[in-house]
Amino acid sequence: MNTRLINKPAGIGKFLFVGILLLIAVATLHAQEGKTLKGRVVDAMGEPVSGALVNVSESSRIALSDVDGIFNLIEVNENDELYLTAVGFVDASVKAEFRDNFTVVMQTEVNDHTFTMPVPFGRKEDRFITDATSVVTGDELKKHPITVLQNAFTSTVTGVSTYEWASEPGWTESAIYIRGLRTMNKSARAPLVIVDDVERDLSFLDAYPIENITILKDAASTAIYGMRGANGVIMVTTKRGQAGKTKIDFTQEFGYQTLSGKMEVQNSYNMTLTRNQVRYLSGNDPMYTSDQIEKYRRVSNGEKLEGIDQYKYFSTNWFDELYRERAPMNRTNLTVSGGNKNTRYFVAFTHLRHEGMWNDKWTEYNPGFSTQHMLDRFNLRSNIDIDVNKYLNVSLDLGGRIDHISQPLRGVFDIVTFGAVEGNPMEPVYAPGGQIYSSSSAQNAGRLLASSGINKNRRRNVYSTVNVTGDLGDLVSGLKANATVSFDSYETFMAQQSNNVNSYNYNYTSNTVTDPSEYTLTQYSVYSALTNPSTTPREYYYNVNTRFGLSYDRRFDKHAVNAQAFVRSYQNLTHGSQSSNRFLSYNAQANYIYDNKYILSGNISHMGNDNFAPGQQFGTFPGASIGWVASEEEWLKHKNINLLKLRASLGRAGQSNTGVRRYPYQGTFDSGTGYNFGTSQSSISGITESAAGNYNSKWEISDMANIGLDFDFFNRKLYGSVDAFKEWRSNILVTRATVPILLGVTAPQDSYGKAESRGFELMLGHQNKVSDFHYNVEFMLSMNENKITEMDELDPNVEWQRKTGKPIFDYTHVAELYEGAFTNSIGGWNMYHFVGWASEADKVAISHQDAIDNPDKYPYHTASGTGQTLGTAVFKDLDGDRKIDANDMTPSGYTIIPQLIPSVNLGFSWKGFDARMILTGYLNRSAFLSPSISFSGWSNMGTHEVTKAWGYYTDDPADPRNINATYPRPTWGGYSAIDSERSTSTYMNDIWIKNGNFLSLRNVEVGYSLPLQLISKVNLTKCRIYFSGYNLTTWSQLPDGTDPEKPMSYVWWYPKTSSFTFGINASF
Amino acid sequence: MEMKKTIIYVAFICITIGLLFTSCEDMFGDFLDKQPSNELTKDQVFSDWNTARQQHLDTYNFFRNGAGRINSTWLDATTDLAETSFSGGVKLSFNIGNYYGGTGSPELIETWEHFYRGIRKCNMTLEYIEDVPKDPTDSDEKYIIDKANFVSEARFLRAYFYWELFKSYGPTPIVKEVLDPDGDLLTGYSTRPSIKEYVVDFILSELSECEAGLMNYEDGAKAANAGRISQPMARALYSRIMLYMASPRFSGESGVTWADASTASKSFIDTYGSNYSLFKTSDATGTAYTNAILRTTYQGNNTETIIFRNSVQIGWSAISNDTPVGEGGNGGLCPSQNLIDMYDMADGSSPFTQYDATGAPVYSGTLTPSVNIVSGYSDQDMWENRDPRLASTVLFHGVSWGNGIINVIKGQRDNPVGNANATPTGYYVRKYIPENVLSNVHSGRSYRNWIIMRYAEVLLNYAEAMNEANGPTQEVYDALDEIRHRGGITGNVTSRTDLTTKEALRNFIRKERTVELAFEEHRMWDVRRWNVAVEALSRPIYGVEVETGGAIARKMVQTRPFDQKMYLYPIPEAEVWKTNIENNPGW
């Protein structure tokens, strides 16, 4: 019953598949009316073209030309429009002629970079693009079997880093940074996401309808987005129908996810050794006798104990109770596109099903319902273009997404942390009678899952755009008018149901019990059936975008001119307490190309936002770039120089999303504490000033210069691009350190800060073939670095803590990185520097004076009271005052966002086989670990790597206390104040802040395509089966089983996973 | 045909776009106007009488509640009157001379910030109230009176806040306007005024000037107004500040004489002597002295309290931090033996032979001062036959309290081994803690207002100033007796033969003031204005050990450093950097 319930939506894929087979059958069995057309396909030299697909326009019946270029297409009528495609040739279309020697000439495709690419509000030939941009194609995106699109960026384009901070099905989120951090304001770093020229949500888009994603990196290209473009723009363009063949594309993927790394936990035997050693170090008696240790050793080895011992000694791996081996996921896509010269359409439907990693032994514990994570996502996209007549084109784009997420009602943090991370291996899973064991100190991952209840979330998004273009060419040649209105709606619902299960505990440590019947069970939790859902009112917001403008595009002899001017408005309407956010901009773009060689391009946006003070709402953002297509010069023109282009740009863009409250210019008041007056003590509600207004809370400004080079030699035998940039960021909101408290109200943040960034991006590619063997290699490298140049800083106590002039760290308290929902925090800190462990008792200073008087002693640590415990850290005394205090901290290392990202992409194809692999490194990066993952959970639940702790039991007589340990001494009942106290700043030291560099095998894909000759018989143009693995393995210096991308989050929250997918892709 | 079509289309498109553009212009005209939103702005607050009133009255919250003021510790725990049992309290910051470090240090910054915030609030009322329109339900007359009243109240509160800043930091920049964070925040605020400019010319003159506009006593005492600032409060605060200004530490700079100070106190007694008096009702819930602290003006007809921070009824959670550990509390404020030694005998005689200018007996290096044999005092029954205010202020071994009997024998109920909150001195605090909260398993509730000024202080101010100005006179003796008799002492001061000189009486008045006003945040500032803080606050803190047989042994609890520079708090370092003002001497 359960399994059927769970599998129900998965049937959609099969249903679709059957439907398509039917469709094919119908098409094949179609009554034979027309005649068979015989013809020949040749290239410009008259040589036969084999493998060309021929079909009648708007139909999907095909024929394939043979080695002589000859094809036979059935059911062709006189005057039918034929449509031909072949690899390496330009698509051709001709009228069918029933005559002998009917020949179609196909032009060889020339690699001259004249294909067009989307640019903001238009398209441009690739060779004329003069901005710093990178493109990810839709085909590339499809290869990443992941639910978050942007994770595919890092390894496939330069200048972008992503940071996955939640992997829970349905809630997967990544933060994206283009060209690094660039601003101290954590809230002002997100790039702008534009989907089909409208600001939209990216994270839940689906790869299939995407033509490509363009990353706009320099300010000259993003200036047109005014005060939204400073962090770069991710511009998504969806696919549109093409006149010609009706294309049906079907993909079915089956896959599963596994844990990408399993944290090694201590077994009970190690626990006994650890605990005894910890007690020994503190001068206490051992906790376990050698008899007990022996029994724990045996259970830990998997032995089954005899008699009553089996109810006393356990070695439970709580992670095994928590997670299952693999979680299924599957994805089905059907795309249909085509059209004629008047109407074109593109329709895609995708269903994604993604289950969670929770152990199904427990999620299916209750009959009738499951507490597993289950995401069902339905994406629909329909883009229709209609040429109403010669003058009027209308397009209607509709997109929709429905997410059904069912998940445990109990929070993921609770389940993972209390269920397993802090679980004691000595505790049993079951009571002697087979009941679930549970107590307040042993939460039992199984019980937490089984009694978790169900939280159902529904999300419904609708994206719609109507675009009307009028050709005014009869009036002024090249002139067009354009109007676009779009309306997007986002809604969420939630329904929650709770349940409970019976669980019991018994005193398994009792020494007197000799028979299991003597145990008395104490009930810990009581069964309750699944409750009726309690629903939360739905949340919704919607966005309205409009754009009205004129465009002009004309070529006079050697002069090509393209220009447009338009007005854009954007408003975001929310049902919450905020009023709608509004933007209005007046924009113009112009492009001039002389003789295909010299390019001059400029754009300007005059944009206003209602969040700023009247009269100060608008800013002007210009950008300009120049380019020289050297490969077009007569003296350089050569068939082996396909492209050589030099370019330079300079621009200004803004960032108005600074995390500041609504209307920061106005001071606001809030309800105060109130006060009681009078004999009846009536309370008067108070009003108090909550924030001072600041007219200088503005948008950030990014001025950026970029130079670049694009090249392609020997027909992609050597191709690539290089970009170097420098950014001057200003107007960064900073806390005014110099505003005195006597102002009487918290000084508002002020757009006062400045920062500078610079970096480069390099991409080199090589593509070649040796007979049938095609291969390609791409190497990418992105680098960026930054520094704070102005932040209104008070003079620090010690020079090395000055922030101005240093790289941007987030000087956040470590706790923010450590707990909380792990949102966008990215790290960076002042920290102590580890020198060694205090291992010699006579070197411990008992006071500051003692340390001064005895220079050979360890410097005195202010947190250590009258003396440091052995096995805690000795830190570097930076100021040489023989005292370790806050002055001895200094920023060090990097942030968790890498400075250097190399990436290698390898691919080959041979006959029908193809394979590829992506390797990505994140370098110059620091990651934060927590003591509890290393040797001690909150309640001394020894976990991982405790054997690397100081003082841990070791057999090496030369190092009896393991004094060259990696971690400090584990202590009984808590942490040492010096190196691991979580509540104090002493926690910040480089024992826990590690080199976070890692190398990741992101993606491997292997495929086989059935020969065209075979499949064309059933009108298939493509049939490929493939296997793809994502996030396969990582290499780093972090402890085993911790994912380097975000080590702490993946310990306490939903785990990081690897995905494996088998798929079939068929096109008609 | 084709041509016609073209023209029609072009015309259509032109018209459409034209229309769109024109309507867009209109639409865009106000597109970026501020949308209806829920933020309350300054303009909104000060365009409605009710919101302006709420803004103004909320200022009363800046009266601080002294109970648990510094990290759950009371200000008096930083004086010789008490020690705190909290390791996280001022024990490891103020009391070991570490003003900047440790958990007591927030007091240094928060005091500064707290009052400057309060001052800004007052300045808002003063700057904006004039233009706030009348509440339509009010009469024109009420509008005018209320407005004048708000202005005067704001001036009083602002003067009080500046006074509080003065006690901690000395004269600080006087801000009399609503500062604009975008504006110039340095000019005018980078130098520190003199004491005369700050206290005499500003605070005192503000207090005199605002008095007329405040509610008179009758209005202030009305059912609807209890707790609001009224004329007597201004007069009372004035008397206190005058006393400070006439004191040795300030008189040289202020120019205020003891005679001026006595006049100020006398003026209050003469004008309001019929309205205020010592509260003398004792009943089952407490002595007159206890009730004077815990009864409210509005619920308990307490006519003694003059200025107070009004608090609603409190329960266990509000007092648990200052309740004996045997009662389930956290110890908290633990009175010192130094305080115990300052109480006289019940008959009014002194237990010890000699007292110094801090009001304390002279210890001369021993744990026990030399005993005045005639008084009948003995260390072994040190709590017997003492000034009844001792028992109303301090919980000592053997008294019945709450749900048990105080037992501080090592390892017993209120002094268990290993409990960090157990009393270090052998005493727990009783004053200000309503015992009825402890009844029915700590479910009781009680009013407890934090007293800022009460009539007893005015009498003490008067006695001190008169003695300093004129030496021992009948007025001085009368004022002291009034207080001591209410406290339960039977004898008269005049019958004491050792109090005939101005000097002897000075020490006696200081002792009397310390005892009467213990734990009301006076000791800390009094020893400073008397210029005896080094003597008083660098003296060790003493306590007692009660042995199993009941024998009492004195012990030293903590040695305390006190440097000259600690007369004033350091001004928060960052503030010094930001404003360029001079920090206090030694910091």
Side-chain angles (χ1 to χ4, degrees), chain B residues 148-169:
Chain B
N149 181 240
F150 283 11
V151 168
S152 302
E153 247 178 322
R155 288 176 76 179
F156 173 91
L157 290 166
R158 188 175 65 179
Y160 172 75
F161 298 156
Y162 275 114
W163 170 245
E164 286 292 321
L165 282 173
F166 175 79
K167 287 195 297 186
S168 304
Y169 302 101

Side-chain angles (χ1 to χ4, degrees), chain B residues 49 129-130 132-149:
Chain B
W49 183 254
I129 199 74
E130 184 53 36
V132 179
K134 175 172 90 76
D135 183 333
T137 61
D138 284 348
S139 65
D140 286 350
E141 194 193 358
K142 183 174 181 327
Y143 174 59
I144 290 163
I145 292 172
D146 280 354
K147 219 152 65 171
N149 181 240

Side-chain angles (χ1 to χ4, degrees), chain A residues 645 647 706-711 720-724 760-764:
Chain A
K645 176 173 66 181
R647 51 191 165 76
N706 191 93
I707 53 169
L709 169 71
D710 300 320
F711 56 90
S721 66
V722 186
D723 274 285
F760 68 84
E761 290 114 28
L762 168 72
M763 193 268 283
L764 275 178

Side-chain angles (χ1 to χ4, degrees), chain A residues 388-392 469-472 474-475 481-483 546 548-550 565-571 577-580 582-584 586 607-612 617-618 661-663 665-682 684-689 692-696 736-748 750 794-797, chain B residues 2 5-6 9-10 12-14 17 20-21 24-25 27-28 30-42 45-46 50-58 60-63 109 112-114 116-118 120-121 124 153 173 175 178-182 185-186 189 221-228 297-299 308-313 447 449 572-575 577-579 581:
Chain A
V388 178
N389 55 42
K390 194 179 153 196
Y391 306 102
L392 192 64
T469 305
D471 193 333
L472 305 180
D474 285 359
L475 212 60
N482 179 287
T546 65
F548 304 100
L550 293 168
F566 52 92
V567 184
R568 231 158 52 90
S569 77
Y570 169 76
Q571 58 178 313
S577 57
Q578 275 197 354
S579 50
S580 71
R582 293 167 172 224
F583 292 90
L584 175 64
Y586 302 92
M607 190 176 211
N609 176 208
D610 71 331
N611 216 30
F612 303 109
Q617 293 171 322
F618 279 88
R661 64 195 163 85
R662 280 301 262 158
Y663 311 116
Y665 61 89
Q666 65 179 19
T668 56
F669 286 67
D670 222 330
S671 39
T673 324
Y675 198 82
N676 298 294
F677 294 102
T679 53
S680 58
Q681 285 293 282
S682 55
I684 286 174
S685 37
I687 288 178
T688 196
E689 189 181 23
N694 182 3
Y695 278 87
N696 197 36
R736 290 304 302 267
T738 52
V739 174
I741 301 172
L742 55 77
L743 170 67
V745 60
T746 308
D750 194 279
L794 284 174
D795 274 342
N797 277 344
Chain B
E2 193 62 32
K5 239 182 170 176
T6 312
Y9 279 125
V10 170
F12 169 75
I13 289 164
C14 286
I17 289 174
L20 278 171
F21 266 105
C24 290
E25 279 296 326
M27 187 178 117
F28 294 158
D30 56 6
F31 185 72
L32 294 185
D33 284 1
K34 192 180 162 217
Q35 300 302 301
S37 65
N38 60 352
E39 302 90 20
L40 191 56
T41 63
K42 188 199 95 186
V45 170
F46 294 101
N50 192 40
T51 50
R53 178 169 170 271
Q54 287 181 13
Q55 194 284 138
H56 164 61
L57 292 177
D58 202 50
Y60 277 80
N61 281 305
F62 285 88
F63 279 134
I109 295 164
W112 181 274
E113 182 162 348
H114 181 87
Y116 271 111
R117 281 176 178 260
R120 181 177 175 87
K121 228 163 145 53
M124 283 213 168
E153 247 178 322
V175 182
V178 180
L179 289 175
D180 175 4
D182 286 338
L185 294 169
L186 294 179
Y189 305 111
K222 277 181 183 163
N225 296 333
R228 288 279 294 276
T297 51
Y298 45 85
Q299 302 283 339
F308 57 94
R309 191 199 195 284
N310 203 354
S311 300
V312 289
Q313 286 193 316
Y447 282 104
N449 290 334
E573 224 167 311
E575 197 74 348
W577 289 328
K578 291 170 185 174
T579 56
I581 57 175

